[in-house]
């Protein structure tokens, strides 16, 4: 609990303040067992410091698991800047934040998250070396949604193989909820694989993009209509909490695999999905292509190398689904076990000499 910080298992939590610029940030380092902690900076108007702390503790832990399963030599961390980015964000504030990141001497690498952008990383980089997700002009990896979508497609192939026997979406009907940066790329991969795509987005511009570029894609009114549609695979690519007590009973798909973070509205949903015979490919496993893309930048960005790493999400997802069957647990539990095993086994090596 928050009353007893040692109970959360984090290595380090750093509170940062710069009164001049209004900066209030919290950097959470869950684990450096596999290497420096990597995770983005969320700039968000939290209602309270307690809410900001709860979020950073949760997100940094999630990054440790995601990075471990992505096969990266990186631990898990995350940062939050508490405030309204529209009002507060400035060069001095970002640079003040960058100095705090630098002060951790490489125990934490930052990147983009909700409320922060590539251009912000370029500003932060004027104060610290420990920042990734920078602009292409600065040697950065650019838009991480490219490999996020590629990785989701790979995870979806593994799930399709597990359920239907062949690692392809050929002939399947796939419902894509959210045609943003990731959803657009994913739609293209699915069409290339000869899937039928049914999609939805609240933004009329996104719907217009589909009509203009992929007229064969069927558009439905909203996510509820997509859930109830006759689809084989459901791919949540909009916001978190897509799978809840209302959507799961209505879901007709046999597989859920998508980019959105935190797709399960609460822990009980896992069992609800399993009881309905729906295979859920854990979000943090299949959406790791983005972090793989920005992590590659630390070595000097090479797109082909990063793409190859993201392609391995197919193997990891397959391994997790098999482990889940063998151990009789939901895929998300199997994923956690695999991540914990790697952190323990490889992390141990890093402490013996
Ligand atoms: P985005 O903001 O570009 O796209 C989201 C799209 O969803 C927008 O077009 C929006 O209009 C639509 N949308 C929002 N609410 C909706 C609703 N209720 N019904 C239907 N459509 C709705 O975001 P992006 O980058 O494509 O990310 C999508 C998801 O994947 C997010 O949850 C994000 O956290 C997650 N993710 C993204 C990564 C990346 O590299 N971009 C990496 C890992 C996860
Ligand atoms: K830990």
């Amino acid at each position: 609990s928050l009353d007893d910080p040692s109970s959360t298992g984090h290595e380090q939590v750093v509170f940062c303040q710069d009164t001049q610029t209004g900066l209030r940030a919290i950097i959470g380092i869950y684990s450096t067992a596999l290497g420096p902690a990597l995770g983005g900076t969320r700039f968000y108007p939290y209602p309270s410091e307690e809410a900001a702390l709860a979020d950073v503790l949760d997100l940094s832990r999630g990054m440790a698991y995601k990075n471990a399963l992505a096969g990266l030599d990186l631990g898990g961390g995350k940062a939050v800047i508490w405030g309204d980015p529209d009002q507060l964000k400035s060069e001095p504030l970002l640079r003040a934040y960058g100095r705090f990141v630098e002060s951790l001497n490489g125990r934490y690498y930052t990147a983009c998250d909700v409320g922060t952008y590539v251009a912000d990383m370029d500003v932060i980089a004027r104060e610290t070396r420990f920042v990734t997700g920078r602009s292409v002009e600065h040697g950065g990896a650019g838009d991480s949604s490219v490999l996020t979508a590629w990785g989701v497609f790979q995870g979806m192939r593994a799930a399709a193989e597990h359920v239907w026997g062949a690692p392809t979406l050929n002939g399947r009907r796939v419902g894509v909820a959210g045609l943003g940066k990731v959803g657009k790329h994913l739609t293209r991969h699915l069409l290339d694989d000869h899937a039928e795509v049914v999609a939805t987005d609240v933004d009329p511009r996104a719907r217009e993009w589909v009509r203009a570029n992929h007229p064969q894609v069927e558009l439905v009114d909203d996510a509820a209509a997509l859930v109830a549609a006759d689809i084989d695979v459901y791919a949540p690519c909009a916001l978190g909490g897509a799978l809840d007590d209302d959507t799961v009973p209505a879901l007709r798909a046999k597989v859920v695999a998508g980019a959105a973070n935190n797709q399960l509205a609460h822990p009980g949903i896992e069992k609800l999905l399993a009881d309905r015979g729906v295979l859920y490919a854990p979000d943090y496993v299949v959406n790791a292509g983005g972090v793989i893309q920005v992590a590659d930048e630390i070595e000097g960005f090479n797109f082909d190398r990063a793409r190859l790493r993201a392609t391995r999400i197919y193997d990891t997802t397959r391994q997790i689904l098999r482990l889940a069957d063998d151990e009789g647990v939901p895929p998300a539990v199997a994923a956690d076990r695999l991540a914990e095993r790697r952190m323990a086994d490889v992390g141990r090596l890093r402490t013996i000499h």
Side-chain angles (χ1 to χ4, degrees):
S1 80
L2 292 183
D3 298 333
D4 175 14
S6 65
S7 70
T8 67
H10 291 71
E11 286 180 20
Q12 190 175 13
V13 179
V14 185
F15 289 77
C16 316
Q17 177 164 250
D18 180 59
T19 47
Q20 201 82 32
T21 58
L23 172 74
R24 284 179 301 183
I26 312 173
I27 299 170
I29 296 176
Y30 181 74
S31 167
T32 56
L34 296 177
L38 168 67
T41 299
R42 183 163 295 191
F43 202 146
Y44 189 77
Y46 292 99
S48 65
E49 184 172 44
E50 202 176 32
L53 176 61
D55 206 29
V56 77
L57 292 178
D58 197 38
L59 293 165
S60 55
R61 181 176 188 278
M63 286 308 299
Y65 282 73
K66 180 187 279 201
N67 293 343
L69 285 181
L72 299 169
D73 292 335
L74 292 165
K78 197 92 180 186
V80 295
I81 299 177
W82 170 23
D84 181 353
D86 293 337
Q87 313 246 318
L88 266 186
K89 198 187 281 178
S90 66
E91 181 196 338
L93 177 141
L94 290 171
R95 293 182 75 148
Y97 173 64
R99 296 191 68 79
F100 281 110
V101 173
E102 179 67 19
S103 76
L104 293 172
N105 269 313
R107 285 178 51 75
Y108 169 66
Y109 272 88
T110 199
C112 302
D113 192 61
V114 175
T116 57
Y117 302 87
V118 164
D120 299 329
M121 296 307 122
D122 286 338
V123 176
I124 289 168
R126 290 161 77 176
E127 300 295 340
T128 183
R129 296 156 283 166
F130 307 115
V131 52
T132 182
R134 297 192 60 194
S135 63
V136 175
E137 305 88 86
H138 286 101
D143 178 5
S144 66
S145 62
V146 173
L147 289 186
T148 300
W150 179 246
V152 169
F153 176 61
Q154 297 305 324
M156 201 184 281
R157 286 179 55 233
E161 180 178 32
H162 200 79
V163 174
W164 297 297
T168 173
L169 282 307
N170 188 343
R172 301 284 162 206
R173 271 167 76 78
V174 182
V176 179
L179 294 162
K181 295 184 291 293
V182 178
K184 282 176 182 156
H185 291 299
L186 179 62
T187 295
R188 204 162 36 76
H189 297 314
L190 290 168
L191 294 173
D192 287 347
D193 197 26
H194 308 288
E196 286 175 44
V197 178
V198 191
T200 192
D201 196 295
V202 287
D203 186 341
R205 286 166 304 182
R207 294 199 299 271
E208 200 36 59
W209 176 87
V210 170
R211 282 194 201 97
N213 292 281
H214 303 293
Q216 70 273 49
V217 170
E218 184 186 329
L219 283 168
V220 296
D221 285 346
D222 52 28
L226 194 59
V227 164
D230 180 19
I231 51 174
D232 299 305
V233 179
Y234 180 46
C237 295
L239 308 174
L243 301 169
D244 60 23
D245 295 297
D246 298 324
T247 50
V248 174
L251 192 63
R252 293 174 69 184
K254 280 275 162 266
V255 167
V256 176
N261 282 309
N262 305 322
Q263 288 170 31
L264 307 179
H266 60 81
I269 296 295
E270 237 154 57
K271 180 158 187 330
L272 217 56
L273 284 163
D275 289 349
R276 279 184 60 83
V278 179
L279 184 77
Y280 169 65
D283 46 19
Y284 77 85
V285 177
V286 302
N287 75 11
V291 76
I292 289 172
Q293 183 165 337
V294 299
D296 192 85
E297 189 179 318
I298 297 170
E299 300 173 54
F301 186 57
N302 177 310
F303 182 78
D304 292 334
R305 177 178 63 203
R307 187 174 186 273
L308 198 64
R309 272 195 190 133
T311 306
R312 291 195 198 116
I313 290 175
Y314 164 75
D315 304 280
T316 311
T317 307
R318 196 157 79 140
Q319 190 184 357
I320 286 164
L321 297 177
R322 288 181 178 175
L323 186 67
D325 280 357
D326 290 349
E327 300 193 354
V329 294
V333 174
D336 284 356
R337 284 186 186 169
L338 203 61
E340 281 159 10
R341 206 176 291 168
R342 181 163 183 254
M343 283 190 267
D345 292 353
V346 180
R348 184 189 64 86
L349 301 176
R350 300 183 69 245
T351 65
I352 52 181
H353 299 295

